[in-house]
Each structure stands twice: as C-alpha cells, then as structure tokens.
Amino acid sequence: MYRVHSMKQIKYLVVSIICYGVVVSSNAILYAQAEREIELTAQEILARVDRIMQYPDGILKGYIMHITPDGSSQKLQITGYIDTNHFLFDVSKPARGTMQKILYRIGGEDLWVYDMAAKALYHKMGVDKFDDILATNFFYTDLSNADLQSNYVATIDGSVIIKNNECFKLTLVPIDKTGIYGKLTLYVAKKTYIPLRIDYHDQDKVIFKTLSITKIAEKDGRSFPVRYDMLDIKKGTMTILEFNSIEDGVRVDAELFRPEKLGD
C-alpha cells in the first residue's frame, strides 16, 4: 500500500509541475503580447501625429519672432511653398530681403540651405541638421516634419493633463544616435491626437528645449498647427513661428525644389 500511495504522490507532483509550467508559459506569452500591443499603439499614435504635423499644400506666410530674456526681439518673415513631400521656406528681413532659403525634400529627410550673405549652398546632413536657424531656438531639423514613426522608437509612459486636455505621454528614442537629441517626450491629446508639447532632451537626457503647439487651423477636414512656441530653457529665450496666411489651390513650381536653383 505504501508503494502505491507513493506512486500516486509522484504522479500528482508531476502533473502539478506541468500545470505550473503551462501557467507560467501562458503568462509569459500574454505579457509578451501586451508588450507588443503597447509598442504598436505607440507607433499608431505617432502615425496620427505625423499626419497632423504635415504642412498643408499651397503657400504659407507668417513670421518668426525671437525674444531674449531682456525683452528685446527680432522679427523675420517666412514664406513656405508646400507640395506634399517637398517644401521650401524663404526667410527674409524687411530691410535686407531674403536671408536664407531652406529646402526640405523627400518628406523632410533631405535638407538644403542657401545662405544669401555667404552666397553658398549647404547640404545639411547628420549633426549639421541641428544647426540653429538664424540664431533662433529652431534647428533646421525642427521644421523638417520628418516622420516621427520612421525616426524614433516610441513607448507610452502613462497619461498627463496638458492645457486641460488628457494626453498620452510618450518617450521617443532616436534610431540615429548621432544627433543632438537624446530623446523626446511627446504629449498628445487623447481626443484629437494633436501634439500639444514636445520636450527635447540632450544626450544626457536633460531637457533643454520645449515646443508648445499653441494654435491649430483646419483645411479640408484636417487639423494642423499654425503656431509653434519654442522655449530654450538654458538660455531663457523664446522663438515664435506663426503662419497667419494660407493660399491653397496654388500650383507650386517643381523647379523651386531643386537645390541648384536656390541661388537664382
């Protein structure tokens, strides 16, 4: 009887171990699936943000104002010629005319700058994309609208309230590690998927710039930003970029988007 009883115990123990292993494996699979779902959700949010951040086709007109801590400011005029994946910004000063032409091609991935004073054409690549635009808080890459979902790996870090809006808080880690941005923190309104704020961190993961989207417009049923406030936390300076005029239905000449034509 003792030996029979022992065999029953052994069988029970084996079955228990197998069942435990199945439960652990199931939990591991469910956890892995949950991780993948979170990553997919984060990338889906970025896809919606990318669509909202796209400039509308046509001609945009506005200004760039850079304000220093002592209250002094300089104001530049900006005109954008937008044709889906290609866009050219002409930055000028009333007394001096055009100062720079900034060309973005292939959805903002290919960047060219023609400087009128230097009479020189620059192909901005790598870390050069992080040069500032005429001593403002905006880097050339900041106006590129290059896809976030193609250039960053995103994770969701919970929810926060920004400007009375419940927002997703996302951490974006750049795929290309050679730039100045070590990571971005993106705050996206849950109802509209409008990005309300972006915090820019340096390579030490310290915030040094913050972009606030403070004004939104609509065209053809699509929302897009028209005012961007960029604060440099270290310098205490603010740069405002605002588009206050949109000419749609205008066919933009494709010749404008050829780098060799920027000096004409």
Side-chain angles (χ1 to χ4, degrees), residues 167-218:
C167 298
F168 295 108
K169 179 184 177 183
L170 288 83
T171 296
L172 279 58
V173 178
I175 295 172
D176 181 358
K177 308 295 184 182
T178 61
I180 289 178
Y181 297 149
K183 73 171 184 177
L184 308 182
T185 305
L186 175 64
Y187 302 90
V188 182
K190 289 187 176 182
K191 289 185 178 180
T192 61
Y193 292 95
I194 292 172
L196 299 182
R197 195 177 91 196
I198 305 175
D199 294 337
Y200 299 86
H201 304 246
D202 60 22
Q203 289 292 346
D204 295 324
K205 306 301 187 290
V206 177
I207 299 174
F208 71 100
K209 291 201 312 181
T210 292
L211 176 68
S212 295
I213 305 294
T214 59
K215 192 178 291 186
I216 298 293
E218 287 191 5

Side-chain angles (χ1 to χ4, degrees), residues 154-262:
T155 54
I156 298 174
D157 289 333
S159 300
V160 296
I161 303 296
I162 301 288
K163 300 177 183 177
N164 297 319
N165 292 282
E166 189 174 4
C167 298
F168 295 108
K169 179 184 177 183
L170 288 83
T171 296
L172 279 58
V173 178
I175 295 172
D176 181 358
K177 308 295 184 182
T178 61
I180 289 178
Y181 297 149
K183 73 171 184 177
L184 308 182
T185 305
L186 175 64
Y187 302 90
V188 182
K190 289 187 176 182
K191 289 185 178 180
T192 61
Y193 292 95
I194 292 172
L196 299 182
R197 195 177 91 196
I198 305 175
D199 294 337
Y200 299 86
H201 304 246
D202 60 22
Q203 289 292 346
D204 295 324
K205 306 301 187 290
V206 177
I207 299 174
F208 71 100
K209 291 201 312 181
T210 292
L211 176 68
S212 295
I213 305 294
T214 59
K215 192 178 291 186
I216 298 293
E218 287 191 5
K219 176 179 176 288
D220 299 330
R222 185 176 73 84
S223 299
F224 55 90
V226 291
R227 175 165 167 167
Y228 314 74
D229 294 357
M230 183 72 83
L231 171 67
D232 189 310
I233 296 172
K234 293 182 179 180
K235 297 177 182 178
T237 54
M238 171 70 79
T239 302
I240 298 169
L241 166 61
E242 182 170 5
F243 297 112
N244 45 35
S245 171
I246 303 173
E247 296 179 33
D248 55 2
V250 179
R251 183 181 179 276
V252 180
D253 188 351
E255 290 290 300
L256 288 175
F257 306 122
R258 294 174 57 184
E260 64 270 20
K261 293 291 187 178
L262 292 180

Side-chain angles (χ1 to χ4, degrees), residues 31-259:
Y31 179 77
Q33 288 175 340
E35 285 288 298
R36 285 197 296 272
E37 287 173 3
I38 290 173
E39 291 173 2
L40 286 172
T41 302
Q43 294 304 122
E44 287 169 358
I45 292 170
L46 285 193
R48 297 193 182 194
V49 169
D50 283 332
R51 286 195 293 271
I52 289 171
M53 292 295 284
Q54 289 176 356
Y55 302 116
D57 286 354
I59 299 176
L60 307 179
K61 293 183 179 181
Y63 67 90
I64 300 174
M65 181 176 288
H66 185 68
I67 306 168
T68 58
D70 63 4
S72 61
S73 64
Q74 68 161 333
K75 190 173 184 179
L76 305 170
Q77 295 176 338
I78 184 168
T79 301
Y81 303 89
I82 316 299
D83 186 9
T84 313
N85 289 323
H86 307 300
F87 33 98
L88 172 68
F89 290 114
D90 185 311
V91 184
S92 62
K93 208 167 188 177
R96 297 176 54 183
T98 297
M99 300 176 69
Q100 282 190 352
K101 293 181 179 180
I102 309 169
L103 173 62
Y104 300 91
R105 306 194 305 170
I106 318 174
E109 298 291 350
D110 188 33
L111 201 170
W112 299 78
V113 176
Y114 187 85
D115 188 90
M116 292 298 182
K119 291 182 168 52
L121 177 65
Y122 303 96
H123 192 190
K124 297 287 186 178
M125 297 183 291
V127 72
D128 291 341
K129 291 183 177 182
F130 295 84
D131 292 341
D132 61 69
I133 300 175
L134 297 171
T136 69
N137 293 344
F138 286 97
F139 298 158
Y140 290 106
T141 191
D142 295 336
L143 301 190
S144 70
N145 278 354
D147 281 352
L148 294 172
Q149 59 177 328
S150 300
N151 291 283
Y152 291 87
V153 177
T155 54
I156 298 174
D157 289 333
S159 300
V160 296
I161 303 296
I162 301 288
K163 300 177 183 177
N164 297 319
N165 292 282
E166 189 174 4
C167 298
F168 295 108
K169 179 184 177 183
L170 288 83
T171 296
L172 279 58
V173 178
I175 295 172
D176 181 358
K177 308 295 184 182
T178 61
I180 289 178
Y181 297 149
K183 73 171 184 177
L184 308 182
T185 305
L186 175 64
Y187 302 90
V188 182
K190 289 187 176 182
K191 289 185 178 180
T192 61
Y193 292 95
I194 292 172
L196 299 182
R197 195 177 91 196
I198 305 175
D199 294 337
Y200 299 86
H201 304 246
D202 60 22
Q203 289 292 346
D204 295 324
K205 306 301 187 290
V206 177
I207 299 174
F208 71 100
K209 291 201 312 181
T210 292
L211 176 68
S212 295
I213 305 294
T214 59
K215 192 178 291 186
I216 298 293
E218 287 191 5
K219 176 179 176 288
D220 299 330
R222 185 176 73 84
S223 299
F224 55 90
V226 291
R227 175 165 167 167
Y228 314 74
D229 294 357
M230 183 72 83
L231 171 67
D232 189 310
I233 296 172
K234 293 182 179 180
K235 297 177 182 178
T237 54
M238 171 70 79
T239 302
I240 298 169
L241 166 61
E242 182 170 5
F243 297 112
N244 45 35
S245 171
I246 303 173
E247 296 179 33
D248 55 2
V250 179
R251 183 181 179 276
V252 180
D253 188 351
E255 290 290 300
L256 288 175
F257 306 122
R258 294 174 57 184

Side-chain angles (χ1 to χ4, degrees), residues 12-29:
Y12 178 78
L13 181 60
V14 169
V15 170
S16 298
I17 292 172
I18 292 172
C19 291
Y20 177 77
V22 169
V23 171
V24 170
S25 299
S26 299
N27 287 339
I29 291 169

